[in-house]
Amino acid sequence: MLFDPWILRARALLNAGLYDDARNLIHNLIDERGRETALLQELSGIEKNTGNHAAAIALAREVLANTPPDSDQYPQAYFDLAYYLYEGKYLAEAKTMLEQILAKSGDKGHEDTGARFLMAQIYMLERDFLQANPILLRLVKESPDNLDFRLNLGNSFHLMGAYSTAAEEFRHIIERDPDHCDGLAALGYALVKDGQAASGIEFLRRANQIAPSRPEIGAHLAEAMNTAGQHQEALTVLLEQEDYRGNSCEYWMQRAATLRHLNQIAAAVAGYKHALEIEPTNFIANNNLALIYINLGDVEKSESYLNAARANINQSDYAPVVYSNAIYNAQYLPDQTATGLREMHLGYNQALITKPAAPPWHFPNPRDPDRPLRVGYVSHDFMNHPVGFFVSSVIGRHDRRQVESFCYNTRQREDNITKIIRAGAHNWRQIHDFNDTALEQLIRQDAIDVLVDLSGHTADNKLPVFARKPAPVQVTWAGYVGTTGLATMDWLLADRYHVPPELDELHAERVYRMPHDYICYEPPSNMVTVAALPALQNGYVTFGCFNNPVKINRSIMAVWARIMHQVPNSRLFLRYGQVGEPESVARITDFFAAQGIPSHRLRIENGGTAIYMYQGYNEMDIALDTQPYSGGLTTCEAMWMGVPVVTCPSTRFASRHSYSHLTNVGLGEMVGQNFDDYVQIAVALAHDLGRLSAIRTSLRARMAASPLCDSDQFTLDLEAAWRFMWREYCATLSPQSG
């Protein structure tokens, strides 16, 4: 049957890409000759190659059932079914079959090579590299000229985050075959991940030149260029591949990501939607599209895509990322309760974090309650970001006799704030290319006493590392809005305004309350001068909000509309990030139109530089806070520019930022108990321009003299917090101390 001319004809059609013709020919032969095993084998291969895995598996089962177990064909039929199950992502059944093959073959040299190789690939899909790598290493040793084995070994190291080791494997491939397209692409991609973007891009270019019709290589080249900040060049590469893109979900995802970097938001949304038309269950595309909608302020759409991402996630190491995004998005939902948020956070701990070794954890750190402490700060936001601003006022003030600081920076690119923080830190650890295991080991080697999470569930967080408990005392502060949900996070640093004692039960951690505010605001040196009250010249009051548009929901916009109806001819000024994008503008203007507020009373603009944002406050009379997610740094900046902020906290941590900042500055009268109070406060201010003008001229000096801006005292209070937590740890008799 091997030389059956009709089967050879079907194979030729298949190799030519004429899948339907090949399928029809085999079906015709089956109609004429019956369900011969050889014909069923050919048909199963056709179905597998066209992505019809269910049909391929069903045919392979029929072939196996019709093949005598003692025949020479049975092992191949058995392996084919295992392979098709693997292709169809039925990994558990495929693994069981392969285990049976390997159990029968024992250690007989090369006859089980295919089964061992396939088993290694399954382990790689399961991210079980401790199982995959020994198999691949043995295969490479047995068959050093088999470049597929070495390619997969390199890919396994790459997936582990061992990029330099992976690159060495790929270099071996290039030495044997300089034009090995997959080897060139893999080497380039590993070098980019290892921080060698320029070299990596060149290898990816060579691979792309060899195989311009392979959209996944162009996508990786574009990704590398985006990593290097070459966004326009990345788009050019992708556009050059447009004729070859076919049904490549990866191509459209990278195209969308590139367009997002270029701030072409509508086109990026369209790109992700095109990717999801090809592969509706792709969790990365769903997740990334959700993040765009978060930035556009549409939390409802974001929630639907995040739900789709969570429902279809198939890689365990991405699960915490998607789950964190879903939790963070829920912080913006006005109908979400504080109790509901607590349960979501606890679910993250229970369901998704790889469980660390059972306690007790053993630490060599000397349990001296009064010795200098080694305090580690972990963040992706040591930059022009609220966390960066808050932390920059502290790091350089630490008294080394009390605290030796270690900053673990997970971001590769730097800006002026990064440089300030790095200059102030006693020890700087650049860890953008570290996987979780490597970071855990580094923290343990540094013998950190108090490890501080500055991210919570925000982007690129390291909560999975905190779940491994690499330090005796772990605390979350400043980068998030309340509990992380982690059982291994010992403390939440807050204040009495954010978390009064009656709200402790909403948090998985113990709550430490700073004596004043939980953060400190140190205004930049280039801050704009406060101008006169705009209403005196305009003849109308301008309300404003420079918060992230994701915080601007229907609930708070309805309250703002009530205020504007009670203050005739007043305006609303919104400026931030991408709030001026057409989709975001339409969302806001359509809602206000339905509330009877015409568009000419709305001014909606994209954000810009820090100076540009500060200047905007000179065109605003009263700032209106958002709910249920209050302004933080934005509220501080508004007050520094002489603009009072009206707020209304709930029991949710995220809703209480402005409440804390205003109270610490002495503006507690701007805090309403409910939305009716909120409206009344804002309307009363708008009708008293004399009071507004007096607040405007005095607020900066008043704020500068408040605890909110006393960086020296705040640092002393923070060091006292770390000391208290350490002493609590030292005082315990728990075996966790080691």
Side-chain angles (χ1 to χ4, degrees), residues 167-189:
E168 287 306 309
E169 296 300 329
F170 300 139
R171 288 187 191 280
H172 284 303
I173 295 173
I174 305 308
E175 289 171 1
R176 292 174 180 269
D177 182 359
D179 293 327
H180 193 287
C181 185
D182 288 325
L184 289 166
L187 175 57
Y189 199 43

Side-chain angles (χ1 to χ4, degrees), residues 419-458:
K419 293 174 183 176
I420 292 172
I421 297 172
R422 184 166 65 176
H426 299 136
N427 302 277
W428 183 264
R429 302 287 189 255
Q430 189 61 41
I431 57 163
H432 64 275
D433 57 346
F434 279 43
N435 62 20
D436 290 349
T437 299
L439 177 55
E440 176 194 7
Q441 291 172 348
L442 177 60
I443 292 168
R444 292 186 185 279
Q445 289 168 6
D446 285 338
I448 296 301
D449 300 311
V450 179
L451 187 66
V452 185
D453 159 52
L454 292 170
S455 299
H457 288 279
T458 61

Side-chain angles (χ1 to χ4, degrees), residues 96-300:
T96 298
M97 295 187 70
L98 291 169
E99 288 171 347
Q100 292 175 357
I101 292 174
L102 295 173
K104 290 179 180 178
S105 65
D107 190 8
K108 298 180 180 178
H110 300 278
E111 64 183 55
D112 61 352
T113 294
R116 286 188 288 148
F117 185 44
L118 189 56
M119 182 69 89
Q121 291 175 299
I122 290 175
Y123 283 132
M124 288 171 63
L125 285 175
E126 295 176 335
R127 299 300 200 264
D128 190 349
F129 306 112
L130 293 178
Q131 296 288 346
N133 287 357
I135 298 173
L136 292 167
L137 285 165
R138 180 179 174 186
L139 289 171
V140 167
K141 183 178 180 180
E142 291 172 353
S143 305
D145 293 329
N146 189 313
L147 300 186
D148 285 340
F149 293 165
R150 195 174 289 276
L151 183 68
N152 275 269
L153 177 59
N155 287 337
S156 184
F157 284 128
H158 184 111
L159 291 170
M160 289 176 62
Y163 303 122
S164 59
T165 305
E168 287 306 309
E169 296 300 329
F170 300 139
R171 288 187 191 280
H172 284 303
I173 295 173
I174 305 308
E175 289 171 1
R176 292 174 180 269
D177 182 359
D179 293 327
H180 193 287
C181 185
D182 288 325
L184 289 166
L187 175 57
Y189 199 43
L191 290 172
V192 170
K193 291 291 187 179
D194 200 35
Q196 304 177 56
S199 297
I201 287 171
E202 290 309 309
F203 283 106
L204 283 162
R205 280 191 198 278
R206 284 175 55 190
N208 196 46
Q209 291 167 355
I210 293 170
S213 62
R214 289 180 56 183
E216 73 277 8
I217 294 178
H220 281 151
L221 174 57
E223 181 182 351
M225 290 175 164
N226 282 325
T227 300
Q230 302 172 13
H231 307 309
Q232 192 59 55
E233 294 89 339
L235 183 59
T236 299
V237 167
L238 293 165
L239 292 176
E240 288 173 350
Q241 283 205 312
E242 203 160 15
D243 292 340
Y244 304 113
R245 65 178 186 256
N247 287 328
S248 171
C249 180
E250 188 173 12
Y251 169 88
W252 283 105
M253 286 170 58
Q254 192 54 236
R255 180 162 169 170
T258 303
L259 290 164
R260 186 182 178 191
H261 282 300
L262 291 168
N263 209 31
Q264 298 181 34
I265 304 303
V269 168
Y272 280 123
K273 287 184 175 179
H274 201 129
L276 289 171
E277 289 174 5
I278 298 169
E279 194 177 327
T281 61
N282 188 292
F283 69 90
I284 296 178
N286 276 295
N287 179 75
N288 291 354
L289 185 53
L291 296 181
I292 290 181
Y293 279 118
I294 288 177
N295 289 332
L296 291 174
D298 196 332
V299 289
E300 289 81 9

Side-chain angles (χ1 to χ4, degrees), residues 417-647:
I417 300 296
T418 314
K419 293 174 183 176
I420 292 172
I421 297 172
R422 184 166 65 176
H426 299 136
N427 302 277
W428 183 264
R429 302 287 189 255
Q430 189 61 41
I431 57 163
H432 64 275
D433 57 346
F434 279 43
N435 62 20
D436 290 349
T437 299
L439 177 55
E440 176 194 7
Q441 291 172 348
L442 177 60
I443 292 168
R444 292 186 185 279
Q445 289 168 6
D446 285 338
I448 296 301
D449 300 311
V450 179
L451 187 66
V452 185
D453 159 52
L454 292 170
S455 299
H457 288 279
T458 61
D460 297 289
N461 69 73
K462 290 297 181 182
L463 290 182
V465 176
F466 281 79
R468 302 181 182 198
K469 192 67 170 172
V473 178
Q474 299 191 154
V475 54
T476 184
W477 168 54
Y480 190 51
V481 283
T483 186
T484 61
L486 282 186
T488 54
M489 194 70 75
D490 303 298
W491 293 90
L492 164 66
L493 191 79
D495 57 46
R496 62 186 183 274
Y497 308 106
H498 276 90
V499 188
E502 62 268 23
L503 299 183
D504 279 2
E505 65 182 14
L506 297 175
H507 305 90
E509 305 85 354
R510 290 180 65 184
V511 179
Y512 182 94
R513 294 174 182 86
M514 295 286 279
H516 302 291
D517 208 312
Y518 89 128
I519 56 91
C520 182
Y521 175 69
E522 188 169 74
S525 58
N526 62 344
M527 186 62 87
V528 175
T529 302
V530 177
L533 190 72
L536 297 176
Q537 179 177 352
N538 293 333
Y540 56 81
V541 170
T542 301
F543 297 102
C545 180
F546 288 0
N547 285 352
N548 190 326
V550 72
K551 300 179 180 181
I552 302 174
N553 53 61
R554 292 185 179 92
S555 176
I556 196 64
M557 286 193 290
V559 177
W560 292 351
R562 288 172 57 191
I563 294 170
M564 295 180 75
H565 280 304
Q566 294 185 44
V567 184
N569 204 34
S570 59
R571 304 292 197 270
L572 179 64
F573 180 17
L574 307 179
R575 176 185 284 179
Y576 184 94
Q578 297 162 350
V579 73
E581 292 297 315
E583 189 168 347
S584 181
V585 170
R587 178 180 71 88
I588 295 169
T589 56
D590 288 352
F591 182 87
F592 276 100
Q595 302 293 312
I597 305 294
S599 60
H600 76 267
R601 295 179 66 184
L602 305 175
R603 177 181 172 186
I604 307 173
E605 301 175 354
N606 280 345
T609 64
I611 295 295
Y612 179 69
M613 299 300 289
Y614 303 147
Q615 290 169 340
Y617 287 108
N618 280 334
E619 303 175 64
M620 182 194 302
D621 297 296
I622 303 168
L624 299 177
D625 198 16
T626 46
Q627 286 297 326
Y629 203 129
S630 173
L633 176 63
T634 310
T635 294
C636 296
E637 291 173 341
M639 289 194 293
W640 192 254
M641 290 301 300
V643 180
V645 182
V646 181
T647 192

